[in-house]
Amino acid sequence: MPPRPSSPDPARSDSPEAPELDRVEQEAFPRLDARLIARLGRHGHEEATEAGEVLFAEGDRDFDFFVVLDGTVDIVEHSDGTETRVTTHAAGEFSGDVDMLTGRASLVTARVCEPGRVLRITAEALRHVLSADPELSDVLLRGFLMRRRLLREGGFTGLKVIGPEADRDTFRLLELFSRNHVPHTWLEPDAESARALMAGLHLDAPRLPLVVHRNETVLENPSNEEMARHVGLDVAVRTSGIYDLVVVGAGPAGLAATVYAASEGLRTLSLEAVGAGGQAGTSSRIENYLGFPAGLSGTELAERAVIQALKFRAQIAVPVRARALEREDGCLCVHLQDGRQVRGRAVVLATGARYRKLALPRIEALEGRGIYYAATDLEARLCEGDTVVVVGAGNSAGQAATFLARRARRVLLVVRGEGLEASMSSYLVERLQAEPQVEIRLRSRVVGLEGGTEVEAVRIARVEDDPGAGPEVGGARGGPEERVECSALFVFVGADPFTRWLPASIARDRDGFVLTGKDATEAVAGTEVPSGSLLPLETTWPGVFAAGDVRHGSVKRVAAAVGEGSMVVQLVHQHLARG
């Protein structure tokens, strides 16, 4: 929980910050009236408290929710090694933030200051309240979300990651934490604070990167799976029993399917390899999504969708990778990379697509060391004040270029074609053309990389007329080369569907996208699948559906993916009804 914002100075109540501070205070720390407390009281019980009593502690999972009835409760944290009081709850106020729903370890400790009484409600009972009582759900969830926003913006230290900038494992851990909203602080190993911390922990030659928790627990270059267990990202996936629906992938399509399925009472599990949101989750600003005229970031969209899904008691497991799909005893069995198996009566494939790579020597060796396929705060922080190059002509490239222009000294947008209008939304084209930090190079491509352990420069060549030239990744005839010193190359040159793990009998088009509905019916003509029996969005395996970017013929837009994810749940119901 973040520090409670200070009240504005009454003498300066006309300052523009005052109304915003008042709103933040009211939304993050509302006081429940007697009517709402009475409704909550049906789901818990009252307890007397004593001074110094700990209601829950940092590191606890599935901890209880408390409403203060009398007395006060201090919220303290020790992420920096010393105790810091972040707020005090008085009568009518409640504890907790979004981790009440995620099941992750608590970031703070709740300790009684002035004795009195509290209303105690278990985490499971609270989830029932949030799904059954819209008014209480609105107040509590708004408070939880605002507290987490304040935490991110308020300098909360969280986990400390000590590792060099140009290190793939450092970037891997920072990406895991950023994509899953785990509070953290990154320190370069030669920074004074990092050296002092390692000396205090008596670490002479640690294996970097290090992850330090509360200046006590030290993990040396942990895997994503080990880190997920430590911070509570992992959930207790049932390997016995059967889910009604297993959703593979938690981008917009997968999250929509998860939310709608769980809200309609289906036992739902969502599996995600890195972090919820998919490619959309890495977007700095989505401005053409219906109902959000001011736009919202992919991170915000993903976080709110996850909270919605958890509110309806879905399970979301991260980081978990699917490696195979089989039919087994009348069910569908998803084999996971860690050896576990989960079974479902239906499966939704929402694995999306993975960005293509440029055909350049050493590009894989420099990934995470200056080669990036997303432009979020994490990547922008690593190249702040530098020159960066963005390759691509679609919306993802345009959003990345406009976002990076706020942090980089110069952004060079390299476009193979003769213009942007045919492949990019007009509002982005206009914004790029008006942005002084952005320079657009048409009919150009990146032909080489320079650098040892990290990107130092790229070589750019003009694309000459060549009717047989391939796509951005292919070998068109080039003109004279130009060397551009830069610290990062951002690549947005199209994407390939993530379908290699699927059995061959799930039909795909020549590019690997999954066939569904009418296309799938034509693909199984003459097989044991009855003619015309497949539902829209259903694959050539009855009971296995596809939604979003992974599907043949899909519209590569966030709203379209959300629509398909929502629609597929009704088709799942039809499949379950036909037995």
Side-chain angles (χ1 to χ4, degrees), residues 483-502:
R483 183 179 183 273
V484 177
E485 292 187 0
C486 64
S487 64
L489 174 65
F490 292 83
V491 182
F492 301 94
V493 293
D496 296 312
F498 187 61
T499 55
R500 287 173 296 176
W501 64 283
L502 295 173

Side-chain angles (χ1 to χ4, degrees), residues 338-368:
D338 60 12
R340 291 180 296 173
Q341 302 174 17
V342 292
R343 299 197 300 165
R345 299 169 66 199
V347 168
V348 170
L349 305 175
T351 49
R354 300 295 185 268
Y355 283 115
R356 293 177 186 151
K357 301 179 180 181
L358 293 173
L360 298 173
R362 299 188 61 245
I363 190 166
E364 292 186 355
L366 292 172
E367 287 175 351

Side-chain angles (χ1 to χ4, degrees), residues 135-208:
E135 185 180 8
L136 276 168
S137 175
D138 183 53
V139 173
L140 299 182
L141 286 179
R142 193 163 53 223
F144 290 166
L145 286 166
M146 187 60 73
R147 292 175 187 184
R148 183 50 61 97
R149 173 189 151 187
L150 290 173
L151 183 147
R152 286 197 297 265
E153 297 173 354
F156 181 80
T157 303
L159 299 172
K160 297 184 182 70
V161 181
I162 302 176
E165 175 180 334
D167 178 83
R168 184 176 296 176
D169 286 315
T170 298
F171 182 78
R172 170 179 57 81
L173 290 170
L174 293 175
E175 181 183 41
L176 177 71
F177 296 151
S178 296
R179 292 287 299 275
N180 291 285
H181 318 294
V182 177
H184 63 281
T185 301
W186 169 50
L187 303 172
E188 281 277 9
D190 57 357
E192 183 178 344
S193 55
R195 291 200 303 268
L197 180 58
M198 290 189 285
L201 293 167
H202 307 292
L203 300 172
D204 295 327
R207 189 160 53 97
L208 300 178

Side-chain angles (χ1 to χ4, degrees), residues 22 27 107 129 195 253 263 267 288 307 377 394 404 417 448-449 484 497:
D22 287 343
E27 291 191 3
L107 299 175
V129 171
R195 291 200 303 268
S263 71
R267 290 164 296 177
N288 55 359
I307 295 302
D377 281 329
L404 292 167
L449 296 170
V484 177

Side-chain angles (χ1 to χ4, degrees), residues 312-371:
F312 294 120
R313 296 188 238 182
Q315 288 183 290
I316 300 178
V318 180
V320 176
R321 294 180 184 273
R323 65 173 179 83
L325 177 64
E326 294 180 348
R327 293 189 183 101
E328 186 177 285
D329 299 328
C331 290
L332 295 159
C333 182
V334 180
H335 295 261
L336 308 181
Q337 207 165 52
D338 60 12
R340 291 180 296 173
Q341 302 174 17
V342 292
R343 299 197 300 165
R345 299 169 66 199
V347 168
V348 170
L349 305 175
T351 49
R354 300 295 185 268
Y355 283 115
R356 293 177 186 151
K357 301 179 180 181
L358 293 173
L360 298 173
R362 299 188 61 245
I363 190 166
E364 292 186 355
L366 292 172
E367 287 175 351
R369 300 173 178 178
I371 301 293

Side-chain angles (χ1 to χ4, degrees), residues 285-304:
R285 181 65 47 178
I286 303 169
E287 296 191 64
N288 55 359
Y289 190 64
L290 185 67
F292 291 86
L296 77 167
S297 71
T299 296
E300 290 175 296
L301 180 63
E303 182 179 33
R304 289 171 181 269

